[in-house]
Amino acid sequence: MNNKEIEAIKLHIAGATIRHTPPFDDLKPFNNNFELEKDFIDRWIIPYYLNIGNTNTEWINKLTTIKHEITTDIIQTNLGDFNWRSRQTGAFFAAITNQTQFIDSIGTHLLKSEVAFAGKVYCKVFASFNLPKCVDYLNLYLDYYLTKHDLWFEQRDAMEAILYLDKLNATNHFEKHFSLWTEFIKNKPNWEVEIKTDNLEKQLKIIETVKTHM
């Protein structure tokens, strides 16, 4: 196996399953210049990345127990790793610790969409932060990715987040995207037209519970 094939396998494992070139070259994502150590992965990624969508009491207790151990370095290290598991964990940690200084890092990752799966969490985190810059990133994402009918990414998650924020802020961003949304899903028979925020709101309640726990 040559180096090119090995690199392709590494990218696939990291979540870069679809290679594309979005028009966001001016945005430079923060990337680590080192490989994560096994101890860090075992401590700050593996126990969390598959559970981020949970809403049970056991998960809440686990998060409230470790919340005060989550430093900005831990969040930055996760976000800077080129892997969907670490990136979504870092974004989630930023949400439960209310570390809004990472909005631009998360927003850049969302717009560039370099790895699969993580975008779902980015959208959830922006809905949790509910700051104007978060809304801007979601709108930019939808403006572009709803026109790319061959890219089956996190468009629904972004629509859910923008609808939820419209409800909170008495704004009307969702309607501006809806016609593009209906066109986007025409070649996706298993995607529903209707956008609901019920599940998102359940998960946001978890984030808020952990965030406000003293």
Side-chain angles (χ1 to χ4, degrees), residues 130-172:
N130 186 21
L131 292 173
K133 188 177 285 189
C134 299
V135 176
D136 290 343
Y137 277 118
L138 290 168
N139 279 321
L140 283 170
Y141 179 88
L142 290 168
D143 284 341
Y144 176 72
Y145 284 99
L146 284 179
T147 67
K148 300 301 175 183
H149 298 183
D150 58 326
L151 298 181
W152 299 39
F153 287 178
E154 278 70 49
Q155 289 91 339
R156 176 177 290 279
D157 300 276
M159 287 290 282
E160 289 175 359
I162 210 74
L163 176 59
Y164 171 79
L165 292 174
D166 273 351
K167 293 177 182 178
L168 287 186
N169 303 325
T171 50
N172 197 33

mmCIF file of all heavy atoms in Angstrom, residues 130-172:
data_model
loop_
_atom_site.group_PDB
_atom_site.id
_atom_site.type_symbol
_atom_site.label_atom_id
_atom_site.label_comp_id
_atom_site.label_asym_id
_atom_site.label_seq_id
_atom_site.Cartn_x
_atom_site.Cartn_y
_atom_site.Cartn_z
ATOM 1 N N ASN A 130 -26.920 30.929 20.918
ATOM 2 C CA ASN A 130 -27.892 31.951 20.501
ATOM 3 C C ASN A 130 -27.301 33.356 20.506
ATOM 4 O O ASN A 130 -27.828 34.281 21.132
ATOM 5 C CB ASN A 130 -29.140 31.917 21.398
ATOM 6 C CG ASN A 130 -30.233 32.863 20.902
ATOM 7 O OD1 ASN A 130 -30.244 33.244 19.738
ATOM 8 N ND2 ASN A 130 -31.145 33.239 21.786
ATOM 9 N N LEU A 131 -26.203 33.527 19.792
ATOM 10 C CA LEU A 131 -25.604 34.841 19.605
ATOM 11 C C LEU A 131 -25.691 35.216 18.123
ATOM 12 O O LEU A 131 -25.752 34.331 17.266
ATOM 13 C CB LEU A 131 -24.152 34.841 20.073
ATOM 14 C CG LEU A 131 -23.962 34.685 21.592
ATOM 15 C CD1 LEU A 131 -22.486 34.514 21.925
ATOM 16 C CD2 LEU A 131 -24.542 35.876 22.336
ATOM 17 N N PRO A 132 -25.707 36.515 17.797
ATOM 18 C CA PRO A 132 -25.844 36.922 16.395
ATOM 19 C C PRO A 132 -24.842 36.258 15.457
ATOM 20 O O PRO A 132 -25.189 35.897 14.325
ATOM 21 C CB PRO A 132 -25.633 38.441 16.457
ATOM 22 C CG PRO A 132 -26.103 38.824 17.818
ATOM 23 C CD PRO A 132 -25.704 37.678 18.705
ATOM 24 N N LYS A 133 -23.615 36.084 15.915
ATOM 25 C CA LYS A 133 -22.607 35.462 15.059
ATOM 26 C C LYS A 133 -22.959 34.005 14.758
ATOM 27 O O LYS A 133 -22.675 33.500 13.667
ATOM 28 C CB LYS A 133 -21.226 35.546 15.727
ATOM 29 C CG LYS A 133 -20.087 35.102 14.827
ATOM 30 C CD LYS A 133 -18.737 35.267 15.500
ATOM 31 C CE LYS A 133 -18.305 36.700 15.559
ATOM 32 N NZ LYS A 133 -16.903 36.841 16.022
ATOM 33 N N CYS A 134 -23.603 33.330 15.695
ATOM 34 C CA CYS A 134 -24.038 31.943 15.465
ATOM 35 C C CYS A 134 -25.085 31.899 14.359
ATOM 36 O O CYS A 134 -25.052 31.027 13.477
ATOM 37 C CB CYS A 134 -24.622 31.354 16.746
ATOM 38 S SG CYS A 134 -23.480 31.277 18.125
ATOM 39 N N VAL A 135 -26.020 32.836 14.411
ATOM 40 C CA VAL A 135 -27.051 32.924 13.379
ATOM 41 C C VAL A 135 -26.412 33.211 12.026
ATOM 42 O O VAL A 135 -26.800 32.632 10.999
ATOM 43 C CB VAL A 135 -28.082 34.014 13.731
ATOM 44 C CG1 VAL A 135 -29.103 34.177 12.612
ATOM 45 C CG2 VAL A 135 -28.782 33.684 15.049
ATOM 46 N N ASP A 136 -25.408 34.072 12.009
ATOM 47 C CA ASP A 136 -24.717 34.393 10.760
ATOM 48 C C ASP A 136 -24.081 33.152 10.140
ATOM 49 O O ASP A 136 -24.191 32.924 8.921
ATOM 50 C CB ASP A 136 -23.637 35.441 11.006
ATOM 51 C CG ASP A 136 -24.204 36.820 11.328
ATOM 52 O OD1 ASP A 136 -25.401 37.041 11.041
ATOM 53 O OD2 ASP A 136 -23.449 37.650 11.866
ATOM 54 N N TYR A 137 -23.427 32.354 10.958
ATOM 55 C CA TYR A 137 -22.786 31.140 10.443
ATOM 56 C C TYR A 137 -23.823 30.156 9.906
ATOM 57 O O TYR A 137 -23.624 29.539 8.846
ATOM 58 C CB TYR A 137 -21.946 30.474 11.529
ATOM 59 C CG TYR A 137 -20.557 31.061 11.682
ATOM 60 C CD1 TYR A 137 -20.160 31.657 12.876
ATOM 61 C CD2 TYR A 137 -19.649 31.013 10.637
ATOM 62 C CE1 TYR A 137 -18.890 32.198 13.013
ATOM 63 C CE2 TYR A 137 -18.364 31.546 10.776
ATOM 64 C CZ TYR A 137 -17.996 32.135 11.961
ATOM 65 O OH TYR A 137 -16.728 32.676 12.094
ATOM 66 N N LEU A 138 -24.918 29.990 10.606
ATOM 67 C CA LEU A 138 -25.972 29.092 10.137
ATOM 68 C C LEU A 138 -26.559 29.568 8.815
ATOM 69 O O LEU A 138 -26.800 28.766 7.900
ATOM 70 C CB LEU A 138 -27.066 28.972 11.197
ATOM 71 C CG LEU A 138 -26.695 28.201 12.467
ATOM 72 C CD1 LEU A 138 -27.751 28.417 13.548
ATOM 73 C CD2 LEU A 138 -26.535 26.704 12.178
ATOM 74 N N ASN A 139 -26.777 30.871 8.693
ATOM 75 C CA ASN A 139 -27.302 31.418 7.442
ATOM 76 C C ASN A 139 -26.319 31.236 6.292
ATOM 77 O O ASN A 139 -26.720 30.873 5.168
ATOM 78 C CB ASN A 139 -27.647 32.899 7.607
ATOM 79 C CG ASN A 139 -28.999 33.118 8.258
ATOM 80 O OD1 ASN A 139 -29.953 32.401 7.986
ATOM 81 N ND2 ASN A 139 -29.083 34.121 9.117
ATOM 82 N N LEU A 140 -25.051 31.477 6.539
ATOM 83 C CA LEU A 140 -24.040 31.275 5.505
ATOM 84 C C LEU A 140 -23.996 29.823 5.059
ATOM 85 O O LEU A 140 -23.894 29.517 3.852
ATOM 86 C CB LEU A 140 -22.663 31.700 6.023
ATOM 87 C CG LEU A 140 -22.375 33.194 6.069
ATOM 88 C CD1 LEU A 140 -21.078 33.461 6.815
ATOM 89 C CD2 LEU A 140 -22.292 33.757 4.653
ATOM 90 N N TYR A 141 -24.069 28.918 6.027
ATOM 91 C CA TYR A 141 -24.059 27.489 5.716
ATOM 92 C C TYR A 141 -25.244 27.126 4.818
ATOM 93 O O TYR A 141 -25.085 26.457 3.798
ATOM 94 C CB TYR A 141 -24.107 26.678 7.016
ATOM 95 C CG TYR A 141 -24.121 25.182 6.798
ATOM 96 C CD1 TYR A 141 -22.927 24.475 6.687
ATOM 97 C CD2 TYR A 141 -25.319 24.476 6.699
ATOM 98 C CE1 TYR A 141 -22.934 23.093 6.477
ATOM 99 C CE2 TYR A 141 -25.332 23.115 6.495
ATOM 100 C CZ TYR A 141 -24.130 22.431 6.393
ATOM 101 O OH TYR A 141 -24.144 21.071 6.173
ATOM 102 N N LEU A 142 -26.426 27.569 5.191
ATOM 103 C CA LEU A 142 -27.633 27.235 4.430
ATOM 104 C C LEU A 142 -27.636 27.906 3.062
ATOM 105 O O LEU A 142 -28.062 27.302 2.069
ATOM 106 C CB LEU A 142 -28.870 27.628 5.233
ATOM 107 C CG LEU A 142 -29.129 26.762 6.461
ATOM 108 C CD1 LEU A 142 -30.190 27.391 7.360
ATOM 109 C CD2 LEU A 142 -29.553 25.348 6.064
ATOM 110 N N ASP A 143 -27.173 29.142 2.995
ATOM 111 C CA ASP A 143 -27.115 29.836 1.709
ATOM 112 C C ASP A 143 -26.319 29.030 0.685
ATOM 113 O O ASP A 143 -26.678 28.996 -0.503
ATOM 114 C CB ASP A 143 -26.471 31.215 1.867
ATOM 115 C CG ASP A 143 -27.406 32.234 2.498
ATOM 116 O OD1 ASP A 143 -28.634 32.004 2.483
ATOM 117 O OD2 ASP A 143 -26.905 33.254 3.004
ATOM 118 N N TYR A 144 -25.258 28.423 1.133
ATOM 119 C CA TYR A 144 -24.407 27.662 0.212
ATOM 120 C C TYR A 144 -24.849 26.208 0.060
ATOM 121 O O TYR A 144 -25.099 25.728 -1.054
ATOM 122 C CB TYR A 144 -22.951 27.714 0.662
ATOM 123 C CG TYR A 144 -22.047 26.868 -0.213
ATOM 124 C CD1 TYR A 144 -21.740 27.282 -1.507
ATOM 125 C CD2 TYR A 144 -21.519 25.661 0.246
ATOM 126 C CE1 TYR A 144 -20.928 26.512 -2.323
ATOM 127 C CE2 TYR A 144 -20.708 24.888 -0.566
ATOM 128 C CZ TYR A 144 -20.409 25.310 -1.849
ATOM 129 O OH TYR A 144 -19.609 24.538 -2.662
ATOM 130 N N TYR A 145 -24.980 25.501 1.178
ATOM 131 C CA TYR A 145 -25.156 24.050 1.098
ATOM 132 C C TYR A 145 -26.562 23.620 0.671
ATOM 133 O O TYR A 145 -26.737 22.489 0.210
ATOM 134 C CB TYR A 145 -24.760 23.392 2.424
ATOM 135 C CG TYR A 145 -23.263 23.328 2.596
ATOM 136 C CD1 TYR A 145 -22.593 24.269 3.377
ATOM 137 C CD2 TYR A 145 -22.509 22.357 1.950
ATOM 138 C CE1 TYR A 145 -21.224 24.240 3.512
ATOM 139 C CE2 TYR A 145 -21.128 22.318 2.086
ATOM 140 C CZ TYR A 145 -20.482 23.261 2.859
ATOM 141 O OH TYR A 145 -19.115 23.236 2.980
ATOM 142 N N LEU A 146 -27.543 24.489 0.783
ATOM 143 C CA LEU A 146 -28.861 24.138 0.247
ATOM 144 C C LEU A 146 -28.878 24.186 -1.276
ATOM 145 O O LEU A 146 -29.802 23.659 -1.904
ATOM 146 C CB LEU A 146 -29.939 25.069 0.806
ATOM 147 C CG LEU A 146 -30.386 24.813 2.245
ATOM 148 C CD1 LEU A 146 -31.431 25.828 2.671
ATOM 149 C CD2 LEU A 146 -30.921 23.387 2.432
ATOM 150 N N THR A 147 -27.865 24.782 -1.877
ATOM 151 C CA THR A 147 -27.778 24.804 -3.343
ATOM 152 C C THR A 147 -26.966 23.628 -3.883
ATOM 153 O O THR A 147 -26.878 23.455 -5.101
ATOM 154 C CB THR A 147 -27.137 26.120 -3.848
ATOM 155 O OG1 THR A 147 -25.763 26.161 -3.456
ATOM 156 C CG2 THR A 147 -27.880 27.323 -3.292
ATOM 157 N N LYS A 148 -26.386 22.847 -2.992
ATOM 158 C CA LYS A 148 -25.561 21.711 -3.406
ATOM 159 C C LYS A 148 -26.348 20.416 -3.179
ATOM 160 O O LYS A 148 -26.216 19.755 -2.157
ATOM 161 C CB LYS A 148 -24.241 21.700 -2.616
ATOM 162 C CG LYS A 148 -23.408 22.959 -2.825
ATOM 163 C CD LYS A 148 -23.058 23.141 -4.296
ATOM 164 C CE LYS A 148 -22.348 24.439 -4.569
ATOM 165 N NZ LYS A 148 -22.085 24.635 -6.007
ATOM 166 N N HIS A 149 -27.178 20.071 -4.140
ATOM 167 C CA HIS A 149 -28.107 18.961 -3.970
ATOM 168 C C HIS A 149 -27.411 17.609 -3.895
ATOM 169 O O HIS A 149 -28.006 16.623 -3.456
ATOM 170 C CB HIS A 149 -29.123 18.957 -5.111
ATOM 171 C CG HIS A 149 -29.975 20.186 -5.148
ATOM 172 N ND1 HIS A 149 -30.996 20.368 -6.050
ATOM 173 C CD2 HIS A 149 -29.968 21.312 -4.380
ATOM 174 C CE1 HIS A 149 -31.575 21.544 -5.858
ATOM 175 N NE2 HIS A 149 -30.967 22.133 -4.841
ATOM 176 N N ASP A 150 -26.150 17.557 -4.291
ATOM 177 C CA ASP A 150 -25.412 16.287 -4.237
ATOM 178 C C ASP A 150 -24.658 16.116 -2.923
ATOM 179 O O ASP A 150 -24.079 15.046 -2.680
ATOM 180 C CB ASP A 150 -24.431 16.201 -5.409
ATOM 181 C CG ASP A 150 -23.439 17.364 -5.425
ATOM 182 O OD1 ASP A 150 -23.824 18.479 -5.024
ATOM 183 O OD2 ASP A 150 -22.290 17.153 -5.847
ATOM 184 N N LEU A 151 -24.662 17.128 -2.099
ATOM 185 C CA LEU A 151 -23.971 17.040 -0.802
ATOM 186 C C LEU A 151 -25.004 16.817 0.296
ATOM 187 O O LEU A 151 -25.695 17.747 0.709
ATOM 188 C CB LEU A 151 -23.158 18.313 -0.534
ATOM 189 C CG LEU A 151 -22.036 18.619 -1.529
ATOM 190 C CD1 LEU A 151 -21.311 19.897 -1.127
ATOM 191 C CD2 LEU A 151 -21.054 17.451 -1.634
ATOM 192 N N TRP A 152 -25.089 15.605 0.774
ATOM 193 C CA TRP A 152 -26.070 15.239 1.798
ATOM 194 C C TRP A 152 -25.418 15.436 3.164
ATOM 195 O O TRP A 152 -24.997 14.489 3.815
ATOM 196 C CB TRP A 152 -26.520 13.798 1.608
ATOM 197 C CG TRP A 152 -27.201 13.518 0.287
ATOM 198 C CD1 TRP A 152 -26.871 14.009 -0.933
ATOM 199 C CD2 TRP A 152 -28.326 12.664 0.073
ATOM 200 N NE1 TRP A 152 -27.702 13.518 -1.901
ATOM 201 C CE2 TRP A 152 -28.618 12.683 -1.310
ATOM 202 C CE3 TRP A 152 -29.117 11.884 0.913
ATOM 203 C CZ2 TRP A 152 -29.655 11.956 -1.871
ATOM 204 C CZ3 TRP A 152 -30.143 11.150 0.353
ATOM 205 C CH2 TRP A 152 -30.420 11.195 -1.020
ATOM 206 N N PHE A 153 -25.349 16.658 3.607
ATOM 207 C CA PHE A 153 -24.625 16.993 4.823
ATOM 208 C C PHE A 153 -25.588 17.280 5.982
ATOM 209 O O PHE A 153 -26.527 16.534 6.206
ATOM 210 C CB PHE A 153 -23.681 18.173 4.560
ATOM 211 C CG PHE A 153 -22.472 17.830 3.728
ATOM 212 C CD1 PHE A 153 -21.565 18.804 3.377
ATOM 213 C CD2 PHE A 153 -22.239 16.545 3.279
ATOM 214 C CE1 PHE A 153 -20.436 18.506 2.620
ATOM 215 C CE2 PHE A 153 -21.119 16.222 2.518
ATOM 216 C CZ PHE A 153 -20.219 17.218 2.187
ATOM 217 N N GLU A 154 -25.344 18.376 6.688
ATOM 218 C CA GLU A 154 -26.144 18.694 7.878
ATOM 219 C C GLU A 154 -27.157 19.808 7.607
ATOM 220 O O GLU A 154 -27.460 20.618 8.487
ATOM 221 C CB GLU A 154 -25.222 19.079 9.035
ATOM 222 C CG GLU A 154 -24.637 17.910 9.780
ATOM 223 C CD GLU A 154 -23.607 17.141 8.966
ATOM 224 O OE1 GLU A 154 -22.699 17.766 8.399
ATOM 225 O OE2 GLU A 154 -23.714 15.905 8.896
ATOM 226 N N GLN A 155 -27.695 19.828 6.412
ATOM 227 C CA GLN A 155 -28.652 20.882 6.064
ATOM 228 C C GLN A 155 -29.887 20.851 6.965
ATOM 229 O O GLN A 155 -30.375 21.902 7.388
ATOM 230 C CB GLN A 155 -29.069 20.758 4.596
ATOM 231 C CG GLN A 155 -27.971 21.148 3.591
ATOM 232 C CD GLN A 155 -27.101 19.988 3.166
ATOM 233 O OE1 GLN A 155 -27.015 18.969 3.853
ATOM 234 N NE2 GLN A 155 -26.455 20.127 2.012
ATOM 235 N N ARG A 156 -30.391 19.654 7.254
ATOM 236 C CA ARG A 156 -31.566 19.579 8.129
ATOM 237 C C ARG A 156 -31.241 20.102 9.525
ATOM 238 O O ARG A 156 -32.043 20.823 10.131
ATOM 239 C CB ARG A 156 -32.105 18.142 8.215
ATOM 240 C CG ARG A 156 -33.271 18.016 9.209
ATOM 241 C CD ARG A 156 -33.855 16.613 9.249
ATOM 242 N NE ARG A 156 -34.571 16.309 8.019
ATOM 243 C CZ ARG A 156 -35.811 16.704 7.758
ATOM 244 N NH1 ARG A 156 -36.482 17.442 8.639
ATOM 245 N NH2 ARG A 156 -36.397 16.382 6.629
ATOM 246 N N ASP A 157 -30.102 19.757 10.048
ATOM 247 C CA ASP A 157 -29.717 20.203 11.390
ATOM 248 C C ASP A 157 -29.604 21.723 11.443
ATOM 249 O O ASP A 157 -30.004 22.351 12.429
ATOM 250 C CB ASP A 157 -28.388 19.560 11.789
ATOM 251 C CG ASP A 157 -28.477 18.052 11.807
ATOM 252 O OD1 ASP A 157 -28.915 17.494 12.818
ATOM 253 O OD2 ASP A 157 -28.125 17.433 10.779
ATOM 254 N N ALA A 158 -29.068 22.310 10.382
ATOM 255 C CA ALA A 158 -28.954 23.765 10.334
ATOM 256 C C ALA A 158 -30.336 24.416 10.233
ATOM 257 O O ALA A 158 -30.580 25.457 10.853
ATOM 258 C CB ALA A 158 -28.079 24.183 9.150
ATOM 259 N N MET A 159 -31.228 23.795 9.471
ATOM 260 C CA MET A 159 -32.604 24.318 9.369
ATOM 261 C C MET A 159 -33.317 24.219 10.715
ATOM 262 O O MET A 159 -34.049 25.142 11.105
ATOM 263 C CB MET A 159 -33.374 23.548 8.298
ATOM 264 C CG MET A 159 -32.967 23.860 6.872
ATOM 265 S SD MET A 159 -33.462 25.527 6.335
ATOM 266 C CE MET A 159 -35.232 25.263 6.002
ATOM 267 N N GLU A 160 -33.115 23.134 11.429
ATOM 268 C CA GLU A 160 -33.723 22.998 12.755
ATOM 269 C C GLU A 160 -33.196 24.073 13.703
ATOM 270 O O GLU A 160 -33.964 24.685 14.458
ATOM 271 C CB GLU A 160 -33.422 21.605 13.322
ATOM 272 C CG GLU A 160 -34.159 20.477 12.620
ATOM 273 C CD GLU A 160 -33.755 19.113 13.132
ATOM 274 O OE1 GLU A 160 -32.882 19.041 14.037
ATOM 275 O OE2 GLU A 160 -34.287 18.107 12.629
ATOM 276 N N ALA A 161 -31.890 24.298 13.650
ATOM 277 C CA ALA A 161 -31.285 25.295 14.539
ATOM 278 C C ALA A 161 -31.792 26.701 14.224
ATOM 279 O O ALA A 161 -32.106 27.471 15.137
ATOM 280 C CB ALA A 161 -29.761 25.240 14.426
ATOM 281 N N ILE A 162 -31.892 27.018 12.930
ATOM 282 C CA ILE A 162 -32.324 28.370 12.565
ATOM 283 C C ILE A 162 -33.802 28.569 12.888
ATOM 284 O O ILE A 162 -34.222 29.660 13.283
ATOM 285 C CB ILE A 162 -32.010 28.660 11.078
ATOM 286 C CG1 ILE A 162 -31.752 30.160 10.861
ATOM 287 C CG2 ILE A 162 -33.102 28.187 10.150
ATOM 288 C CD1 ILE A 162 -30.438 30.655 11.361
ATOM 289 N N LEU A 163 -34.604 27.513 12.748
ATOM 290 C CA LEU A 163 -36.016 27.605 13.117
ATOM 291 C C LEU A 163 -36.161 27.810 14.619
ATOM 292 O O LEU A 163 -36.962 28.643 15.077
ATOM 293 C CB LEU A 163 -36.758 26.349 12.678
ATOM 294 C CG LEU A 163 -38.245 26.261 13.073
ATOM 295 C CD1 LEU A 163 -39.029 27.433 12.500
ATOM 296 C CD2 LEU A 163 -38.845 24.927 12.613
ATOM 297 N N TYR A 164 -35.404 27.061 15.393
ATOM 298 C CA TYR A 164 -35.434 27.195 16.847
ATOM 299 C C TYR A 164 -35.042 28.611 17.268
ATOM 300 O O TYR A 164 -35.706 29.226 18.122
ATOM 301 C CB TYR A 164 -34.483 26.173 17.473
ATOM 302 C CG TYR A 164 -34.264 26.363 18.948
ATOM 303 C CD1 TYR A 164 -35.208 25.933 19.880
ATOM 304 C CD2 TYR A 164 -33.107 26.988 19.414
ATOM 305 C CE1 TYR A 164 -35.008 26.122 21.238
ATOM 306 C CE2 TYR A 164 -32.898 27.179 20.770
ATOM 307 C CZ TYR A 164 -33.850 26.748 21.676
ATOM 308 O OH TYR A 164 -33.642 26.945 23.023
ATOM 309 N N LEU A 165 -33.994 29.152 16.662
ATOM 310 C CA LEU A 165 -33.545 30.495 17.017
ATOM 311 C C LEU A 165 -34.537 31.558 16.568
ATOM 312 O O LEU A 165 -34.691 32.592 17.237
ATOM 313 C CB LEU A 165 -32.156 30.750 16.421
ATOM 314 C CG LEU A 165 -31.034 29.913 17.051
ATOM 315 C CD1 LEU A 165 -29.722 30.119 16.302
ATOM 316 C CD2 LEU A 165 -30.863 30.237 18.528
ATOM 317 N N ASP A 166 -35.218 31.305 15.456
ATOM 318 C CA ASP A 166 -36.294 32.224 15.049
ATOM 319 C C ASP A 166 -37.371 32.309 16.128
ATOM 320 O O ASP A 166 -37.890 33.392 16.428
ATOM 321 C CB ASP A 166 -36.935 31.744 13.738
ATOM 322 C CG ASP A 166 -36.212 32.262 12.502
ATOM 323 O OD1 ASP A 166 -35.327 33.130 12.633
ATOM 324 O OD2 ASP A 166 -36.536 31.784 11.395
ATOM 325 N N LYS A 167 -37.721 31.162 16.702
ATOM 326 C CA LYS A 167 -38.739 31.134 17.749
ATOM 327 C C LYS A 167 -38.294 31.945 18.963
ATOM 328 O O LYS A 167 -39.089 32.672 19.565
ATOM 329 C CB LYS A 167 -39.028 29.691 18.174
ATOM 330 C CG LYS A 167 -39.687 28.829 17.112
ATOM 331 C CD LYS A 167 -39.845 27.403 17.620
ATOM 332 C CE LYS A 167 -40.462 26.484 16.587
ATOM 333 N NZ LYS A 167 -40.567 25.083 17.074
ATOM 334 N N LEU A 168 -37.031 31.804 19.312
ATOM 335 C CA LEU A 168 -36.516 32.519 20.488
ATOM 336 C C LEU A 168 -36.392 34.017 20.241
ATOM 337 O O LEU A 168 -36.673 34.828 21.131
ATOM 338 C CB LEU A 168 -35.143 31.968 20.877
ATOM 339 C CG LEU A 168 -35.062 30.598 21.536
ATOM 340 C CD1 LEU A 168 -33.621 30.344 21.969
ATOM 341 C CD2 LEU A 168 -35.986 30.490 22.750
ATOM 342 N N ASN A 169 -35.964 34.371 19.040
ATOM 343 C CA ASN A 169 -35.573 35.755 18.779
ATOM 344 C C ASN A 169 -36.591 36.554 17.979
ATOM 345 O O ASN A 169 -36.340 37.717 17.669
ATOM 346 C CB ASN A 169 -34.231 35.758 18.037
ATOM 347 C CG ASN A 169 -33.138 35.033 18.804
ATOM 348 O OD1 ASN A 169 -33.102 35.073 20.029
ATOM 349 N ND2 ASN A 169 -32.257 34.351 18.089
ATOM 350 N N ALA A 170 -37.717 35.903 17.644
ATOM 351 C CA ALA A 170 -38.748 36.577 16.840
ATOM 352 C C ALA A 170 -38.179 37.082 15.517
ATOM 353 O O ALA A 170 -38.451 38.217 15.080
ATOM 354 C CB ALA A 170 -39.387 37.717 17.629
ATOM 355 N N THR A 171 -37.379 36.237 14.885
ATOM 356 C CA THR A 171 -36.798 36.556 13.581
ATOM 357 C C THR A 171 -37.424 35.656 12.517
ATOM 358 O O THR A 171 -38.281 34.826 12.818
ATOM 359 C CB THR A 171 -35.268 36.368 13.613
ATOM 360 O OG1 THR A 171 -34.961 35.066 14.167
ATOM 361 C CG2 THR A 171 -34.612 37.430 14.478
ATOM 362 N N ASN A 172 -36.993 35.803 11.274
ATOM 363 C CA ASN A 172 -37.640 35.082 10.183
ATOM 364 C C ASN A 172 -36.623 34.524 9.185
ATOM 365 O O ASN A 172 -36.841 34.538 7.974
ATOM 366 C CB ASN A 172 -38.622 36.014 9.454
ATOM 367 C CG ASN A 172 -39.602 35.235 8.600
ATOM 368 O OD1 ASN A 172 -39.995 34.127 8.946
ATOM 369 N ND2 ASN A 172 -39.980 35.812 7.470
#
